[in-house]
């Protein structure tokens, strides 16, 4: 009986512990199951499903299903699989979690622009990189080049803190020592003859493709030597009307980790400078005491006691006890006086919609950027419209129009004046040159023009009031097209298309500069003002013929081009010295208001480019690829007999991953071997450089003057070619 009682007690205790353990387990575990599918809805077998931050994991079976015990219902699942993007999905207390992942290989089907046409990324034979809208939205930027920084191999993009100024860009290094190294920018199929892409709102850009090697850039002939940046803006899409609004607000500040002398360290530095300046290398004796042996009488000489009594009063604080104590001398933060908190607001409102016959897209953007340096800012308004019309099955046409108006407060300028010191680097660099022991204001609160008593170092206080450089740009450019599909007219002509592109580009630029006599950049005694106005008109007219066919396992495409480009720029300039009132700025440059010299000038520049191109794209079995092109350019800026030249290119590629012996290697998505060669040119030289200039001269003729000319000392380069 006792034995039976003991057995019953043991069974009871075991049962109690079992249910307690189940209760405890149920409180700390959460069962979750589900399935993993690819972008086509097919199950993904062998995918790893792991609880983030733990070692709990399982794999999906043939139907893509999985099941595991998570620590809690708030955990996160990490799904990984070879050939698919990694995903993180929160459980959110759901017992069933369905996951849809994306194949990495699907990116090979993305369409990229290679010049005058598009191909799938898997069929590219040249060196091409780029970014898409997702990359552009990944961080707030003022222009598209900033979005490309560090994201495209072989593309070196500098930095520029000045609002409204785009950074420099070099593709695969510097190609010319004297000519321009700026790449060619192509927007919606139209090469930009002038200007850059700073007037395009980044939020209006769909993708940016960069052509880097000669086999890819030769398609643009003379203008492709420095690489090509192809920008595709957002296009209208069929469907219901979609209205979207994007807004961002960013704060920036200038961070300078350069260690600068404080007042005490600079004073010691100058003492040593005098010591070594007076040191006799033969005797080892100096006419001045060592820097670590301060003397108040010597300091009065070193630091011009009478030239700036306020700076000396600050230094004298270190001698207040009778012996030198540099910690008593205050340090003036000149750099802090010219910097500020930068704030940028960027807003864009867009609308899109349409039918299969008519589609339209429009946007309006506003950017306001206050720079990190006082006196620098940029304000831009942008508007863009796109319309695509399918009039018939064989005829379509449309337009992309871009408008922008920008006002840039450039900041410190030094054009047209004799400078004092070295302000060429800008206001911040001028602030770094001011003495740390000098003070900015006198006892009455007035600015000290030459703090420290050195007449080559002016103060930077209120420099943004005395030095104004305002640049206004109004620009309108776009592309208009009409396309005829002959295959829709006659089936025998299937694959044959004709396209006409016309890209006008008009811009107006005004630069007003006022440099007061009190400016740190002005070494004279008179105020200076200038006004420059530039109007530019350019156009590109392309006639394109396409023929694309697939015969069995052979796919080929032919592109033919005849293009004409024109460019005209007119410039006028007025400068005046001795502007009596600062409120006049550059708005009263007349002989009646300017007390000093007054000068005016004007200029006109015209140039043209004619081009012809043929290209063949060929593919066999989707794994052997060939691209061959030839382009002829004729430029008016080159010498007679050297205006035209050919720019051939060829590239072949072998998609090794499509070969049978690569089957079963799931860890390789795409493996391609390619080789290419091409010839490019550079016509980035000034027009009329091949013609001998003349100097105008007026000859006295009886009682009047007759216009004439004499040869210039610059000789014509009649051999200048590609």
């Amino acid at each position: 009986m006792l034995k039976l009682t003991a057995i019953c007690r043991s069974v009871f205790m075991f049962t109690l512990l079992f249910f307690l353990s189940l209760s405890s387990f149920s409180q700390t575990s959460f069962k979750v199951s589900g399935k993993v599918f690819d972008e086509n809805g097919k199950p993904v077998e062998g995918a790893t499903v792991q609880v983030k931050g733990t070692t709990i994991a399982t794999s999906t079976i043939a139907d893509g299903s999985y099941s595991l015990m998570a620590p809690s219902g708030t955990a996160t699942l990490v799904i990984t699989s070879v050939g698919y993007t990694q995903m993180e999905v929160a459980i959110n207390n759901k017992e069933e979690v369905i996951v849809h992942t994306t194949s990495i290989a699907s990116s090979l089907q993305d369409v990229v622009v290679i010049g005058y046409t598009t191909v799938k990324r898997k069929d590219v034979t040249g060196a091409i990189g780029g970014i898409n809208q997702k990359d552009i939205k990944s961080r707030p930027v003022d222009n598209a080049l900033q979005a490309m920084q560090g994201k495209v191999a072989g593309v070196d993009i500098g930095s520029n803190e000045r609002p409204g100024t785009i950074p420099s860009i070099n593709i695969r290094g510097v190609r010319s020592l004297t000519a321009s190294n700026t790449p060619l920018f192509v927007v919606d199929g139209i090469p930009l003859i002038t200007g850059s892409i700073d007037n395009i709102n980044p939020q209006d850009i769909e993708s940016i493709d960069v052509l880097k090697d000669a086999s890819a850039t030769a398609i643009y002939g003379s203008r492709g030597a420095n690489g090509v940046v192809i920008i595709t803006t957002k296009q209208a899409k069929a469907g219901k009307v979609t209205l979207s609004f994007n807004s961002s607000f960013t704060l920036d500040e200038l961070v300078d980790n350069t260690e600068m002398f404080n007042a005490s360290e600079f004073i010691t530095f100058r003492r040593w400078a005098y010591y070594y300046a007076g040191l006799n290398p033969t005797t080892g004796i100096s006419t001045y005491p060592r820097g670590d042996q301060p003397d108040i009488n010597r300091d009065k000489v070193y630091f011009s006691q009478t030239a700036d009594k306020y700076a000396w009063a600050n230094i004298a604080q270190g001698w207040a006890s009778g012996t030198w104590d540099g910690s008593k001398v205050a340090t003036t933060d000149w750099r802090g006086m010219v910097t500020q908190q930068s704030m940028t607001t960027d807003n864009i409102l867009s609308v899109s919609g349409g039918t299969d016959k008519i589609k339209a897209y429009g946007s309006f953007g506003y950017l306001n950027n206050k720079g990190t340096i006082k006196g620098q800012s940029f304000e831009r308004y942008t508007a863009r419209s796109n319309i695509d019309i399918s009039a018939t099955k064989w005829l379509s046409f449309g337009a992309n129009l871009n408008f922008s108006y920008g006002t840039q407060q450039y900041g410190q300028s030094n054009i047209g004046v004799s400078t004092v010191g070295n302000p060429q680097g800008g206001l911040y660099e001028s602030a770094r040159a001011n003495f740390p022991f000098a003070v900015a204001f006198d006892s009455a609160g007035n600015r000290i023009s030459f703090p420290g008593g050195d007449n080559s170092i002016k103060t930077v206080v209120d420099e943004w009031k005395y030095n104004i450089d305002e640049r206004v740009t109004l620009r309108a450019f776009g592309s208009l097209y009409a396309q005829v599909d002959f295959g829709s007219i006659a089936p025998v002509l299937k694959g044959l298309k004709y396209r006409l592109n016309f890209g006008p580009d008009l811009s107006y630029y005004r630069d007003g500069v006022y440099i007061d006599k009190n400016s740190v950049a002005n070494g004279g005694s008179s105020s200076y003002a200038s006004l420059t106005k530039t109007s530019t008109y350019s156009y590109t007219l392309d006639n394109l013929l396409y023929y694309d066919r697939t015969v069995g396992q052979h796919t080929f495409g032919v592109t033919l081009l005849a293009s004409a480009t024109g460019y005209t720029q007119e410039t006028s300039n007025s400068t005046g010295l001795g502007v009596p009132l600062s409120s006049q700025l550059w708005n009263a440059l007349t002989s009646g208001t300017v007390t000093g010299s007054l000068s005016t000038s004007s200029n006109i520049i015209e140039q043209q480019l004619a081009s012809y191109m043929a290209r063949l794209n060929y593919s066999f079995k989707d794994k052997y690829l060939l691209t061959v092109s030839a382009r002829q350019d004729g430029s008016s800026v080159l010498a007679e007999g050297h205006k035209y030249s050919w720019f051939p290119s060829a590239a072949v590629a072998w998609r090794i991953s499509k070969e049978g012996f690569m089957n079963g290697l799931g860890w390789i998505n795409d493996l391609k071997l390619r080789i290419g060669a091409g010839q490019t040119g550079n016509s980035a030289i000034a027009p009329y450089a091949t013609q001998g200039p003349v100097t105008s001269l007026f000859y006295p003729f009886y009682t009047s003057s007759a216009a004439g000319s004499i040869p210039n000392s610059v000789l014509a380069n009649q051999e200048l070619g590609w």
Side-chain angles (χ1 to χ4, degrees), residues 340-407:
Q340 62 186 359
Q341 178 74 65
S342 171
M343 295 181 291
T344 303
T345 58
D346 189 6
N347 306 278
I348 182 170
L349 177 67
S350 63
V351 59
S352 176
T355 66
D356 57 345
K357 297 293 184 181
I358 299 179
K359 297 174 290 185
Y361 171 88
S363 70
F364 176 78
Y366 172 72
L367 171 74
N368 192 320
N369 182 0
K370 183 176 76 171
T372 56
I373 305 297
K374 293 182 179 179
Q376 296 182 5
S377 64
F378 180 59
E379 189 176 30
R380 181 186 66 200
Y381 297 88
T382 59
R384 181 176 175 274
S385 62
N386 160 248
I387 185 170
D388 294 303
I389 301 175
S390 298
T392 65
K393 291 183 178 180
W394 54 270
L395 175 64
S396 61
F397 53 89
N400 293 286
L401 302 176
N402 299 270
F403 305 91
S404 66
Y405 177 81
T407 302

Side-chain angles (χ1 to χ4, degrees), residues 437-663:
F437 63 84
V439 295
F441 304 97
D442 60 20
S443 57
N446 301 314
R447 68 195 293 266
I448 300 174
S449 297
F450 298 95
D454 190 334
N455 59 9
S456 66
I457 305 294
K458 268 189 174 182
T459 183
V460 294
V461 173
D462 293 337
E463 174 68 6
W464 45 95
K465 298 179 182 178
Y466 300 114
N467 194 315
I468 302 173
D469 186 346
E470 183 180 85
R471 306 180 180 188
V472 176
T473 302
L474 174 63
R475 188 176 184 186
F477 67 95
S479 63
L480 297 88
Y481 77 91
Q483 181 169 294
V484 177
D485 185 355
F486 294 102
S488 298
I489 300 175
V492 70
L493 299 177
K494 181 180 179 181
L496 182 63
K497 296 179 181 179
Y498 168 76
R499 183 182 178 97
L500 175 69
N501 290 336
F502 177 66
D505 190 346
L506 300 94
S507 65
Y508 168 80
Y509 174 77
R510 191 217 70 190
D511 185 8
V513 176
Y514 173 76
I515 304 178
D516 194 87
K517 62 182 179 180
N518 294 312
S519 170
V520 66
N522 195 338
S525 57
S526 299
S527 298
Y528 167 89
S530 70
L531 179 62
T532 302
K533 294 182 179 180
T534 302
S535 60
T536 304
Y537 168 69
S538 64
Y539 71 88
T540 298
L541 180 64
D542 292 338
N543 291 275
L544 289 155
L545 194 64
Y546 300 101
Y547 186 62
D548 299 290
R549 285 300 299 269
T550 298
V551 181
Q553 295 181 321
H554 304 270
T555 301
F556 60 89
V558 176
T559 303
L560 302 177
L561 165 74
S563 176
T565 298
Y567 171 83
T568 302
Q569 182 186 81
E570 296 182 5
T571 304
S572 62
N573 176 262
S574 299
T575 61
L577 196 62
V579 179
L581 300 175
S582 60
S583 59
Q584 293 176 337
L585 297 178
W586 47 83
N587 298 313
L589 294 176
T590 62
S591 58
T593 57
V594 176
T595 60
S597 61
L598 178 68
S599 64
T600 60
S601 64
S602 62
N603 191 29
I604 184 171
I605 295 175
E606 294 181 322
Q607 63 184 77
Q608 296 82 32
L609 181 72
S611 305
Y612 306 93
M613 182 273 294
R615 177 177 58 195
L616 170 66
N617 292 325
Y618 172 74
S619 172
F620 177 60
K621 292 185 177 180
D622 199 28
K623 58 183 177 181
Y624 306 113
L625 311 173
L626 170 67
T627 301
V628 180
S629 69
R631 177 171 177 137
Q632 185 186 48
D633 278 350
S635 176
S636 63
V637 303
L638 301 177
E640 291 293 337
H642 302 275
K643 294 184 181 295
Y644 283 88
S645 185
W646 283 97
F647 303 95
S649 72
V652 294
W654 173 29
R655 295 189 65 198
I656 305 175
S657 55
K658 297 290 289 184
E659 296 291 351
F661 58 81
M662 297 293 292
N663 293 339

Side-chain angles (χ1 to χ4, degrees), residues 668-685:
I668 295 181
N669 300 312
D670 188 57
L671 179 62
K672 182 191 298 180
L673 176 65
R674 60 178 176 82
I675 183 172
Q679 180 179 336
T680 60
N682 194 336
S683 61
I685 59 174

Side-chain angles (χ1 to χ4, degrees), residues 263-265 267-268 271 294-297 299-300 303 310-331 437:
S264 176
E265 292 169 339
I267 291 171
T268 301
R271 289 170 181 162
D295 179 88
I296 187 172
N297 293 319
D299 281 354
K300 291 178 180 180
F303 300 99
Y310 299 101
W312 173 252
N314 186 33
I315 296 174
Q317 297 296 321
W319 290 103
S321 63
T323 58
W324 175 250
D325 184 1
S327 64
K328 302 298 183 181
V329 183
T331 300
F437 63 84

Side-chain angles (χ1 to χ4, degrees), residues 159-217:
S159 60
N160 196 325
E161 294 81 15
R162 192 184 299 273
T165 302
I166 67 171
S168 61
I169 173 174
N170 290 318
I171 298 176
R172 290 192 170 180
V174 176
R175 290 172 166 82
S176 176
L177 296 177
T178 57
S180 172
N181 286 284
T182 302
L184 172 67
F185 293 98
V186 179
V187 179
D188 292 328
I190 301 297
L192 299 184
I193 310 303
T194 180
S196 184
I197 57 175
D198 51 325
N199 297 307
I200 302 177
N201 193 317
Q203 301 301 322
D204 278 331
I205 296 176
E206 186 67 31
S207 65
I208 302 177
D209 297 291
V210 182
L211 312 185
K212 296 181 283 187
D213 68 348
S215 67
T217 62

